[in-house]
Amino acid sequence: MIDKLKYKAGGALIRNARVQIVCWGSEWNQAAPKQTAIDLVDQLTRLFSGPYMRGLSQYNVLPATIAQIPIFDVTTNPPQIISTAVIGNYLKTVIGSQGIDDYRNNDQLLYLVVTLNRQWNTPNVGGFHSWDNIAGKIFHWGWIMQISSGFASHEIIEACTDPEASGWLQPENGIEVGDICEDSGNIGVADGVEAAIYWSNVDGSCIIPHRTAKVTIVPDPSDECIGPHVGGKSKFKVSFGVEPSWIDIVDIPLANAHFKWDFDPSVCAPLGASTGPVLELTWTKESFDDTISVTITADGGIDLSATIKIKHVLNAQETQLIIRMCELRKLISTTALLPPPVPDTEGPIIATIMPTPSEINRLRGLSSRLIHKLDQISVISGNLETAKFRNLGARQGM
């Protein structure tokens, strides 16, 4: 753990943020900008309902929710240059009107003001967050210069973890959870949405929590020792997780998931449907380095994929060899059931209990069966080597 971020005791946090997007200016009268604002609500809703903000649990912050209808205030226009005073004074005049919620009824409200074609009063600033007050009652806000889920998520996570410059930050310079990661590119993708990368004390690095999928083989008790082989069956199952793995995935549904499996039909064939989270195949041909992959799509434009490699599908002779070796292992393991030596109570010398006639017969039987299995393995191995030599000779024109 690398604690670049420190918490000031008693510092402000927005633990359960309710974000209301306010689009300010006559430019929002046009259909195209309006649609981008509606799309932003959808993107942020998808992002925050997934694992993205759960990485902030280490800072005692929970995932934010987004008000489903953006507010379009086209009655006035913002100035060309935006500042903390401009945003603070604007919100003081509109809070509680035009559909804009009153934070005095919910102290977890966070206003996100969006202006188009405006600049911050400091160069190269695409977003900002701060706070102001009405009659001594503090409200929190963020501002972004354009519709962007990357900019928006950056300001939201920083406003939640450090709304009043007294929460989680680097004490030596005041840098916040998202700003630390500007050298890492700052913007990534989670659940198909562009989102700000942020610093994790737990990981000691910049992260962007996202869903993951993994394909595993479900063991078949009938041939667990053998593995994939011609004439046998293999079952594959998709499981879901989150990266980084310490983040809890509980209660993060994948709505209306669809599965598309991909495999080589020349070496295997599906048994039943191949459109669910489990795929069962029968192997029809020996092969090397086969790939079984699956693509998962879900509501909201979520796309995941996973792959598993099958190094070797055994042919008939190899399968018989492995079966004999498995049987040999089982025989060897049964010898552990014989009575063990017992210590001599009169000294450190180890004494043994003489086997009974039935145990002697059992040992003879085991020995005979072990020799028989070893002979079978030797014959099969010799046949395999001979076949390989012949194949090599054929390829080299011998």
Side-chain angles (χ1 to χ4, degrees):
M1 181 179 288
I2 303 176
D3 293 342
K4 282 191 175 184
L5 295 177
K6 304 288 186 181
Y7 178 65
K8 293 184 178 181
L13 299 172
I14 310 177
R15 294 195 65 246
N16 296 275
R18 174 73 170 171
V19 180
Q20 186 167 50
I21 296 175
V22 180
C23 302
W24 179 23
S26 58
E27 294 93 339
W28 298 104
N29 265 323
Q30 302 173 42
K34 274 191 175 182
Q35 186 59 53
T36 61
I38 294 169
D39 292 343
L40 178 63
V41 167
D42 291 341
Q43 292 163 1
L44 294 178
T45 298
R46 186 196 322 166
L47 185 67
F48 295 160
S49 62
Y52 173 72
M53 279 192 72
R54 296 195 180 207
L56 298 178
S57 61
Q58 62 188 293
Y59 307 126
N60 204 25
V61 166
L62 301 175
T65 57
I66 307 294
Q68 290 303 297
I69 301 175
I71 304 300
F72 298 100
D73 179 8
V74 297
T75 60
T76 61
N77 282 311
Q80 289 300 313
I81 302 298
I82 305 295
S83 65
T84 55
V86 166
I87 300 298
N89 290 334
Y90 164 69
L91 286 171
K92 289 178 186 179
T93 64
V94 296
I95 285 174
S97 65
Q98 302 184 51
I100 299 173
D101 294 340
D102 193 330
Y103 73 98
R104 285 163 291 198
N105 299 322
N106 180 3
D107 63 3
Q108 298 299 294
L109 267 174
L110 172 63
Y111 303 104
L112 182 64
V113 180
V114 191
T115 61
L116 298 178
N117 305 315
R118 304 296 195 275
Q119 300 294 321
W120 192 251
N121 64 355
T122 303
N124 302 317
V125 175
F128 203 84
H129 72 92
S130 190
W131 72 100
D132 213 313
N133 74 91
I134 297 175
K137 177 74 172 177
I138 290 176
F139 61 88
H140 304 109
W141 58 264
W143 165 84
I144 54 175
M145 65 181 296
Q146 65 187 57
I147 288 292
S148 162
S149 59
F151 284 12
S153 57
H154 180 100
E155 298 308 326
I156 290 168
I157 62 174
E158 290 197 335
C160 290
T161 54
D162 185 34
E164 299 170 22
S166 62
W168 289 92
L169 43 74
Q170 286 187 288
E172 63 271 22
N173 53 25
I175 290 179
E176 297 172 316
V177 65
D179 292 333
I180 295 179
C181 299
E182 286 189 348
D183 290 340
S184 301
N186 199 32
I187 303 297
V189 176
D191 282 352
V193 178
E194 285 193 349
I197 299 170
Y198 59 82
W199 177 261
S200 166
N201 279 348
V202 171
D203 298 281
S205 63
C206 294
I207 65 171
I208 181 162
H210 58 279
R211 301 174 199 260
T212 60
K214 182 180 181 182
V215 176
T216 55
I217 294 183
V218 181
D220 184 346
S222 65
D223 64 359
E224 186 174 357
C225 179
I226 309 169
H229 62 282
V230 173
K233 298 180 294 184
S234 293
K235 187 181 291 184
F236 302 90
K237 182 179 181 181
V238 177
S239 59
F240 298 102
V242 169
E243 182 65 34
S245 59
W246 65 267
I247 296 173
D248 187 9
I249 194 174
V250 175
D251 299 326
I252 308 181
L254 197 61
N256 198 24
H258 298 275
F259 301 84
K260 182 180 182 301
W261 291 89
D262 187 33
F263 49 85
D264 185 351
S266 70
V267 299
C268 57
L271 296 171
S274 57
T275 55
V278 176
L279 171 71
E280 191 169 15
L281 297 174
T282 180
W283 299 99
T284 58
K285 180 181 175 183
E286 178 189 18
S287 64
F288 298 88
D289 293 327
D290 268 292
T291 298
I292 309 296
S293 61
V294 63
T295 302
I296 307 104
T297 58
D299 288 353
I302 295 173
D303 293 293
L304 300 172
S305 61
T307 299
I308 188 170
K309 287 279 189 181
I310 305 299
K311 291 187 177 296
H312 187 190
V313 178
L314 303 176
N315 62 29
Q317 281 189 310
E318 291 168 331
T319 301
Q320 288 303 309
L321 176 63
I322 297 299
I323 289 173
R324 297 294 182 268
M325 293 180 70
C326 290
E327 292 171 346
L328 181 60
R329 289 194 203 101
K330 290 178 182 177
L331 282 171
I332 293 171
S333 68
T334 61
T335 62
L337 301 177
L338 292 173
V342 296
D344 189 335
T345 57
E346 296 184 0
I349 299 174
I350 300 298
T352 59
I353 299 174
M354 291 298 293
T356 65
S358 63
E359 288 168 348
I360 290 173
N361 288 333
R362 180 185 170 199
L363 283 170
R364 284 173 177 164
L366 282 172
S367 177
S368 176
R369 290 164 65 190
L370 286 171
I371 291 170
H372 179 63
K373 295 299 179 187
L374 287 170
D375 287 342
Q376 288 180 319
I377 290 171
S378 177
V379 170
I380 296 172
S381 297
N383 290 340
L384 284 172
E385 289 299 320
T386 300
K388 289 179 181 176
F389 179 76
R390 287 173 178 167
N391 290 336
L392 180 62
R395 287 196 296 271
Q396 295 180 348
M398 291 176 62

